[in-house]
Amino acid sequence: RLRGELEMKRMLKQLLNNNSKSSISLTSSRFSEVVLLVGGFCRTRTATPTTVAARGVSSAFTTRSSSRDDGKKSIATSSTASSFSSLDGNDDETANTASSASKKKNKYPSKFDSNEKVNKDFTPNRYQTQEENELKTKQMREVKRKEYLEKIVKSENNRDFQSSDHANAIGGDGTVTKYYENVDIREVSSTQNQYEILLDGKPLKSPKRAQFILPNKLLASAIATEWATQEDDLIRPFTMPLMQLSSTALDHMSDYATFDFHVKKLLEFFDADQAVVAHPSGSELREIQLKTLKKVHDWARREFGEQLNLSSDSIFAQPQPEEVKLLMEKRLRSLSPWEMTCTFAAAAAAKSLLIGLALNRNIIDPEEALKCARVEEDYQIERHGFVEGGHDIDISDLRVRLTAPHALNLILKAKMGTM
């Protein structure tokens, strides 16, 4: 309608501005909602060019007589009046059609009409009525409630609940609210020498909610001490390294895929081992490195042969021979899940597989492993100074991360009487 109205206005404006007679042809196949603007009077119709021409409307566009009345232009055409009179006969019919269409729309609203006043059956799900949608929502809520109740019953049957299951979560500072008072240990199997930890008489579970069964009494006592020494009504997991290592061994390293992943990850960085990459020859730092790592190098040559590459002068270390890699992989795969946990933790802390293995083989102690892992950084500290609140925290953290796997390995060996 807007397009037809604009087109007719343009034609009338052209007639008004043209002093001579204008001949305007109707080129469109159909004018929808033809608008006749004569003296401010407007009527709308749907007509074809043939109908318009037959009713004399075309003569209205080709014949114009103008006169001045109080300085204003007016348009008077005899054919225009005849065209209006010819169109008047269809006014009632058009009005009745529009009224019936409006009544039909109100009587039968579309189900996609979002106006609730027009469509009372409107719901968020437009393909259903309001009653069907409410019934479906109620059914889904009931299903979810039953699933939740079944999950609770199943959990109660599988394990004993602890208060930490409901009320506690690790805070932003890494602490958890303390939910127990008494800590004790209990023997699970006298024949297999297995023990568990009790918090207020309830067995402690692993992070994966499995049974937390420890291989000997000494390890159970050490971990129980970590739980008992938590103060200020807070649990600080970062002060419980033996608990963390034991949880890793029980929950993860016992799985073959996880064990295999850690073996491959250790071998991946074996070529660039920190105990292998040294400063260029002739420098003071290289002499310090070789002196500090002498125990590790001597043990490594005995363990893996003289073909082991221990003299790289670049950070881009030379690849180790294939026979050395195969022998290293054989050694790693022969470890138990507990031993692999200790080895991987020590190697990751020292950034060296050789230092981690030497520590767990008791070739070096934790303080020697700390010096081997920090030989370059300690050299720079002697030259440029010690930063309090930085270097001291790093040293303390690394000392704990090296001492914990070493202590756990010793405790495991004590079980077999080889300590």
Side-chain angles (χ1 to χ4, degrees):
R1 175 179 178 178
L2 181 61
R3 179 182 295 178
E5 184 173 316
L6 292 175
E7 182 68 18
M8 301 307 295
K9 284 183 178 180
R10 185 188 67 79
M11 291 179 180
L12 291 174
K13 185 177 180 180
Q14 183 179 353
L15 289 173
L16 290 173
N17 295 333
N18 194 353
N19 294 327
S20 61
K21 289 186 179 182
S22 299
S23 177
I24 303 174
S25 61
L26 302 178
T27 58
S28 61
S29 61
R30 182 178 180 85
F31 277 100
S32 178
E33 303 291 322
V34 175
V35 181
L36 303 178
L37 297 174
V38 179
F41 186 74
C42 176
R43 294 196 179 192
T44 62
R45 285 293 179 271
T46 299
T48 62
T50 305
T51 308
V52 174
R55 293 173 182 174
V57 178
S58 59
S59 63
F61 298 137
T62 58
T63 304
R64 179 177 66 90
S65 62
S66 60
S67 62
R68 292 186 176 272
D69 183 12
D70 296 332
K72 296 181 180 179
K73 290 185 179 181
S74 63
I75 301 175
T77 60
S78 60
S79 58
T80 301
S82 62
S83 65
F84 282 143
S85 62
S86 63
L87 291 173
D88 283 341
N90 296 328
D91 284 348
D92 296 337
E93 181 183 354
T94 305
N96 293 335
T97 304
S99 176
S100 62
S102 177
K103 289 181 179 179
K104 184 177 181 181
K105 182 177 180 180
N106 293 334
K107 187 175 181 181
Y108 304 103
S110 171
K111 78 185 320 184
F112 297 102
D113 192 345
S114 61
N115 188 349
E116 294 183 357
K117 294 183 178 179
V118 177
N119 186 4
K120 297 181 179 180
D121 293 333
F122 171 75
T123 61
N125 186 344
R126 296 181 176 181
Y127 297 97
Q128 295 178 344
T129 63
Q130 185 174 359
E131 291 77 9
E132 291 174 343
N133 190 69
E134 291 178 353
L135 179 61
K136 186 176 180 180
T137 302
K138 185 177 180 181
Q139 292 173 349
M140 292 301 297
R141 288 177 179 174
E142 185 67 20
V143 170
K144 293 293 184 182
R145 188 183 69 84
K146 289 182 179 179
E147 290 178 354
Y148 177 75
L149 294 177
E150 290 176 359
K151 184 177 179 180
I152 293 296
V153 173
K154 184 178 180 181
S155 300
E156 289 176 347
N157 294 335
N158 290 343
R159 65 183 175 91
D160 296 328
F161 272 95
Q162 299 176 11
S163 58
S164 61
D165 295 340
H166 308 286
N168 294 284
I170 296 179
D173 58 352
T175 61
V176 179
T177 303
K178 190 175 180 181
Y179 57 89
Y180 61 91
E181 294 292 337
N182 302 315
V183 183
D184 200 0
I185 61 174
R186 180 175 64 187
E187 188 175 18
V188 177
S189 174
S190 58
T191 58
Q192 299 181 1
N193 195 27
Q194 294 179 341
Y195 289 82
E196 64 180 358
I197 299 173
L198 302 177
L199 301 179
D200 289 338
K202 298 179 181 179
L204 176 67
K205 303 293 183 180
S206 71
K208 291 183 68 174
R209 301 308 181 190
Q211 286 186 319
F212 196 73
I213 305 300
L214 301 170
N216 60 18
K217 185 177 181 179
L218 182 58
L219 179 58
S221 300
I223 296 177
T225 301
E226 290 182 338
W227 284 93
T229 54
Q230 301 299 311
E231 299 177 351
D232 301 331
D233 294 329
L234 290 175
I235 302 174
R236 298 173 175 82
F238 48 85
T239 63
M240 308 169 71
L242 293 179
M243 176 66 190
Q244 294 179 5
L245 291 173
S246 299
S247 299
T248 301
L250 292 173
D251 284 347
H252 301 289
M253 285 300 178
S254 300
D255 178 63
Y256 175 79
T258 305
F259 188 95
D260 182 69
F261 171 82
H262 284 78
V263 170
K264 292 179 179 179
K265 187 61 66 174
L266 289 174
L267 293 174
E268 181 179 350
F269 297 98
F270 182 38
D271 291 336
D273 195 291
Q274 181 168 305
V276 174
V277 179
H279 205 263
S281 302
S283 63
E284 181 182 7
L285 177 55
R286 181 180 178 86
E287 298 300 325
I288 296 175
Q289 286 176 321
L290 295 177
K291 182 178 179 180
T292 305
L293 294 165
K294 187 176 185 306
K295 279 188 176 182
V296 177
H297 288 173
D298 292 343
W299 164 80
R301 288 191 180 95
R302 294 194 305 268
E303 186 77 14
F304 302 102
E306 293 295 331
Q307 67 271 25
L308 179 65
N309 180 19
L310 296 173
S311 59
S312 175
D313 293 338
S314 171
I315 59 173
F316 302 101
Q318 298 178 0
Q320 297 291 348
E322 285 298 323
E323 54 270 22
V324 174
K325 291 184 178 180
L326 292 175
L327 186 58
M328 176 63 77
E329 183 177 0
K330 183 179 179 180
R331 293 286 190 274
L332 293 176
R333 294 193 180 279
S334 65
L335 300 176
S336 67
W338 288 89
E339 292 172 334
M340 171 56 73
T341 301
C342 297
T343 300
F344 190 89
K351 300 180 178 63
S352 169
L353 176 56
L354 292 177
I355 295 176
L357 277 175
L359 176 63
N360 288 326
R361 295 288 183 88
N362 210 24
I363 304 300
I364 55 177
D365 58 32
E367 287 300 319
E368 291 174 323
L370 180 65
K371 292 180 181 179
C372 290
R374 290 182 51 85
V375 58
E376 295 181 14
E377 192 167 358
D378 289 342
Y379 177 82
Q380 298 297 333
I381 289 175
E382 291 179 1
R383 301 300 182 276
H384 304 288
F386 183 86
V387 178
E388 294 185 0
H391 291 134
D392 51 352
I393 294 177
D394 292 342
I395 293 173
S396 299
D397 177 66
L398 184 56
R399 180 178 283 111
V400 172
R401 294 170 61 192
L402 291 173
T403 303
H406 179 68
L408 179 57
N409 191 58
L410 292 178
I411 292 173
L412 294 172
K413 291 180 179 179
K415 170 188 174 182
M416 299 178 290
T418 57
M419 182 175 175

